[in-house]
Structures are given as structure tokens and as C-alpha cells.
Amino acid sequence: MLTGKRILLIIAGGIAAYKSLDLIRRLMDQGASVRCILTKAGAEFVTPLSVSALSGEKVFMDLFDLTDESDMGHIRLSREADLVVVAPATADIMAKMAGGHANDLASTALMATDKPVLIAPAMNVEMWNHPATQRNAATLASDGITLVGPAAGDLACGEVGQGRMVEVPDLIAAIQERLARATASLPLAGKRALVTSGPTREAIDPVRYLSNHSSGKQGHAIAAALAAAGAQTTLVSGPTSEPDPAGVTIVKIESARDMLAACEAALPADIAICAAAVADWRIAEEAGSKMKKNGGTPPPMAMVENPDILATLSQATDNRPRLVIGFAAETNDLIDNATKKRARKQCDWIVANDVSTGTGTFGGDENTVHLVTDDGVEDWPRLSKTGVAEQLTSRIASWLADRDT
Ligand code: PMT
């Protein structure tokens, strides 16, 4: 139920921190990835080594860790999660959250996050019952934070009452419920998306191939943005060194024909976006063994045309996605060629980008695109590829919303 979900777990300083180690394992068993922030007090109860060994990730502890901060550590940490969980949540961290403090990594990440937050309070019964804690709990609940527990029972301090951190299975159930609620409210909840990305490789012989410079950055960013907007997303990707985007089903292929088969297997979909740089041609007959130099004469290499995935999806009579979007990679007459390509392939929208030498479109982190639709041509400003992906996703969500209401 948690496949592809990213949890940021903040472990504060309480005896119940030992349960968080089990929580990490159980979350990962369910397919989630878990990044942890361990507070100074938390590190008195569990070691950074055990947390990192279980999560398989670096443990974040210090706001002023230069390497991470130069990379916007706390902002990225809190944004690159689907849910922030504080377990155990001590009286102190609750007070900081309620008061809006930001003086260490945990409190700063909690202030910087734009994601839902769930906390599992754990403390002595009198601390829990203290009017200040009760006031803070009410403030946090009214701020939209989900409180799970505390449960009643024997407490580590020897007293009995409400203050135990809830057991791990109950915490997992609450995390699942909170994530399901968060997903249901996203703009593309319930929609299915298919994205192609990266280059294809067309074999010449067992050791050589034809390909191009696509890095997969643009296509992968689109898949990530669609998934973050709640779409159930399949990414069909040629060989790239881009990391797999979270929350996306990824199908890795080599050739154009593999890509077409994988796309057809991923249907039905509401949205299809073809950002891959598919080889237009392949060698007519792939050699079964490594081709040898032949007395200085290069071997003849007849080519045949590959199937056109974008055109196939656009012109399908069965299972045509409601919105099919292509890209046009051009080195000259960008808008004119893109407009003709849209008409020829019969996709709904085309995203035109200039791939001439020096633009950095292939492999770079930024892109300047023009959106060609029935309504005309929109020139977008130069954006990061993530920015292009987010803007396109938001256009798709409005287009679907207009037609579904
Ligand atoms: O991967 P990056 O380094 O981030 O670079 C991004 C990008 C430049 C690859 C991307 O933004 C882009 O332009 N992708 C489309 C590349 C391309 O092959 O364009 P094209 O104009 O040749 O093809 C037009 C459309 O038809 C594209 O949607 C393409 O995916 C699709 N096509 C082409 C041939 C084919 N056999 N099947 C297809 O589906």
C-alpha cells in the first residue's frame, strides 16, 4: 500500500525511539522509502548507525551541515517527501511546532514542508496532561497536523496512564490512511498517465548500436510531476542514468519496438506524453555476431523505419488516451515544423523545443518550450526541466477538470 511513497521520519528524544527502528523496517517492507532526521536528543536513544543501516540512507542530524545546506538541505528534505512523520513526538518538539520555532534541523524541516505531517506523541502522563501540551496538541490539530495517540498503559517512567507511543502496526495504518487522503485530494487522483523518456538504442550487431543524446531528464521530470499530482504513472524509458522517479511504475526498454510494446501494454491511460527521443530508423538486419572490418570497405547498412509510438497512440481507435501530447525536437523552423508534426501525427498538443547545438536542450537541466494546441502557440519562458514538467502537469489537470465538470 505504500509502494513508491517517500516518508521523512523525524525521530525525537524519547524512550519510544526504539519503536521507530521497527517502524522504518515495516514502512520499507510496504514499499516506502524512508529518510530520517534524528534530533540530538533522539540520538541519545538510538544511534545514527542503526537508523542509517535500517533505512539504507544517510541520517540527517545537523542544520548546519555545510554539504547538505549548500544544497538547500532542510528545504529539499521536507519537499522530497510525500508525508512527514514525527515519531516519537516529544512534548518539546510539539511545543516547537505549535510555536513555529525553527532552530534545528527537525523544526526547520517541519516549518519548511508543504506536505502533510503526522505525529505520534509519546511522553510521561503528566506531561501529556499538562495544559501547555494539551494547548499545543489542539493548536497542531487545528493547523491540520494528524495526531495519532498517545495510547494508555504502562509508561517507561514506571507510571501508568496516557502517554505511550502507539504500536507500530497502528502507526502504519494511520500513515496509510493519511497518505490515501492526501492522494485523493490531488488534481490527477484516479487518472492514469503514460510517459516515454530517454533515447532508444537500435542494435547494429551485438556490440554496436544507433542512438542519440537524450538524457531522459525531461521525460523523467514529467513522470515525477504527474505522479506527484496523483496520477498513476507508467514511465517507459530507454537507457538513461537518471534515477527512477518516486511513485512511478518504470518499464526499461532498449529499442523503439520494445518501447511501443511497453506503451501498448500500459494502456488504458487518460494521458500519454511522448518525450522520448525515439530512433526513426533501425538497421534492416542486425548482425548476429560482431561485424569485422572488411579490407577497408565499410559494411552496407540498409535502414528501415521504426514504428511511430506517438502516431500509433494518437491514431488508435481502441484505447486512445484522452489527451496525447508529443514533443517536437527541431533544429530549424521550430514552430512551423512542430505544427506540421502535430497535424501529421494527430496528437492533441505538441511541446516544441529547439535542440540545435549550443541550446543545451539535450542533456541540460533547462528547456525553452512552446506549447502548440488547437488554440495556437504559447511561448513559455526558459524553465528548469522540472518547471516545464510542473507547468505541463498543471495544464493537463485544468484540461481534464474542464472536461470532467
Ligand atoms: O532527454 P533530455 O536530454 O532531457 O532531452 C529532452 C528531449 C529533447 C529529448 C525532449 O524534450 C524532446 O524533445 N523529446 C522528443 C524527441 C524527438 O524524438 O522528437 P521528434 O521531433 O523526432 O519526434 C516527435 C515526437 O514523436 C516525439 O514526441 C517523439 O517521442 C515521437 N516519436 C518519434 C519517432 C518515433 N518512432 N516514435 C515516436 O513516438
Side-chain angles (χ1 to χ4, degrees):
M1 272 202 71
L2 295 175
T3 308
K5 295 294 179 198
R6 298 160 304 172
I7 312 284
L8 177 64
L9 174 63
I10 297 176
I11 305 173
I15 189 75
Y18 78 93
K19 290 188 190 173
S20 301
L21 298 181
D22 189 30
L23 176 64
I24 296 170
R25 278 188 35 201
R26 304 282 164 230
L27 288 169
M28 291 177 66
D29 285 349
Q30 296 225 2
S33 61
V34 186
R35 268 188 182 160
C36 296
I37 294 179
L38 185 60
T39 67
K40 228 180 191 154
E44 300 291 330
F45 294 89
V46 290
T47 66
L49 189 60
S50 45
V51 174
S52 89
L54 282 167
S55 66
E57 292 239 17
K58 172 184 166 151
V59 177
F60 297 87
M61 297 185 67
D62 192 354
L63 179 59
F64 298 107
D65 178 323
L66 279 183
T67 323
D68 297 326
E69 275 313 298
S70 60
D71 203 8
M72 296 286 280
H74 64 282
I75 309 276
R76 270 192 48 201
L77 265 178
S78 64
R79 302 282 165 82
E80 287 180 0
D82 298 301
L83 180 70
V84 183
V85 175
V86 187
T90 57
D92 180 61
I93 201 160
M94 287 176 65
K96 278 184 170 170
M97 290 170 75
H101 290 243
N103 60 355
D104 59 13
L105 181 56
S107 55
T108 313
L110 282 159
M111 284 290 281
T113 191
D114 55 355
K115 298 298 174 359
V117 178
L118 178 149
I119 70 170
M123 63 199 76
N124 167 271
V125 58
E126 294 307 333
M127 289 174 80
W128 172 251
N129 287 333
H130 193 285
T133 306
Q134 288 303 304
R135 245 188 344 264
N136 292 334
T139 302
L140 294 176
S142 76
D143 286 348
I145 289 169
T146 304
L147 282 83
V148 187
D154 291 336
L155 302 176
C157 53
E159 295 181 14
V160 177
Q162 200 177 358
R164 287 173 62 87
M165 184 164 113
V166 293
E167 296 304 325
V168 169
D170 297 329
L171 196 43
I172 298 265
I175 288 170
Q176 286 171 340
E177 192 278 329
R178 186 65 192 88
L179 278 167
R181 208 152 31 94
T183 306
S185 64
L186 292 171
L188 292 178
K191 300 287 188 280
R192 289 172 60 114
L194 166 64
V195 181
T196 70
S197 181
T200 61
R201 282 184 186 168
E202 311 298 329
I204 297 172
D205 68 13
V207 299
R208 303 180 177 94
Y209 57 79
L210 288 177
S211 193
N212 59 66
H213 295 296
S214 170
S215 63
K217 286 183 180 175
Q218 186 62 83
H220 279 51
I222 291 169
L226 290 166
Q232 195 186 321
T233 305
T234 301
L235 173 63
V236 180
S237 174
T240 80
S241 52
E242 281 298 287
D244 296 350
V248 161
T249 304
I250 180 147
V251 184
K252 296 186 180 174
I253 55 83
E254 293 265 328
S255 69
R257 285 175 295 169
D258 298 342
M259 185 171 269
L260 176 62
C263 287
E264 287 179 329
L267 295 175
D270 299 280
I271 310 143
I273 306 185
C274 295
V278 184
D280 286 320
W281 303 282
R282 66 177 185 277
I283 303 300
E285 271 183 58
E286 177 188 341
S289 54
K290 187 181 170 196
M291 293 162 77
K292 300 286 181 202
K293 284 187 200 165
N294 189 10
T297 317
M301 269 196 237
M303 297 218 203
V304 290
E305 203 167 307
N306 265 329
D308 192 307
I309 298 151
L310 175 63
T312 307
L313 293 172
S314 302
Q315 294 162 28
T317 42
D318 275 347
N319 268 345
R320 185 196 194 275
R322 290 168 71 191
L323 184 59
V324 183
I325 305 173
F327 269 72
E330 308 293 342
T331 52
N332 56 286
D333 303 320
L334 179 60
I335 303 300
D336 190 39
N337 282 334
T339 307
K340 287 181 184 146
K341 210 167 255 180
R342 174 172 171 257
R344 194 168 63 247
K345 302 207 183 198
Q346 295 174 32
C347 56
D348 300 297
W349 300 352
I350 208 151
V351 182
N353 50 197
D354 186 343
V355 291
S356 319
T357 313
T359 55
T361 308
F362 271 122
D365 292 325
E366 295 184 341
N367 204 354
T368 306
V369 305
H370 311 265
L371 183 66
V372 184
T373 70
D374 269 344
D375 299 330
V377 181
E378 264 176 43
D379 300 323
W380 291 8
R382 187 156 185 82
L383 293 167
S384 66
K385 285 185 175 167
T386 306
V388 169
E390 287 168 355
Q391 194 156 320
L392 192 59
T393 298
S394 122
R395 287 297 299 267
I396 292 166
S398 326
W399 187 91
L400 288 169
D402 283 351
R403 273 144 196 89
D404 288 345
T405 47

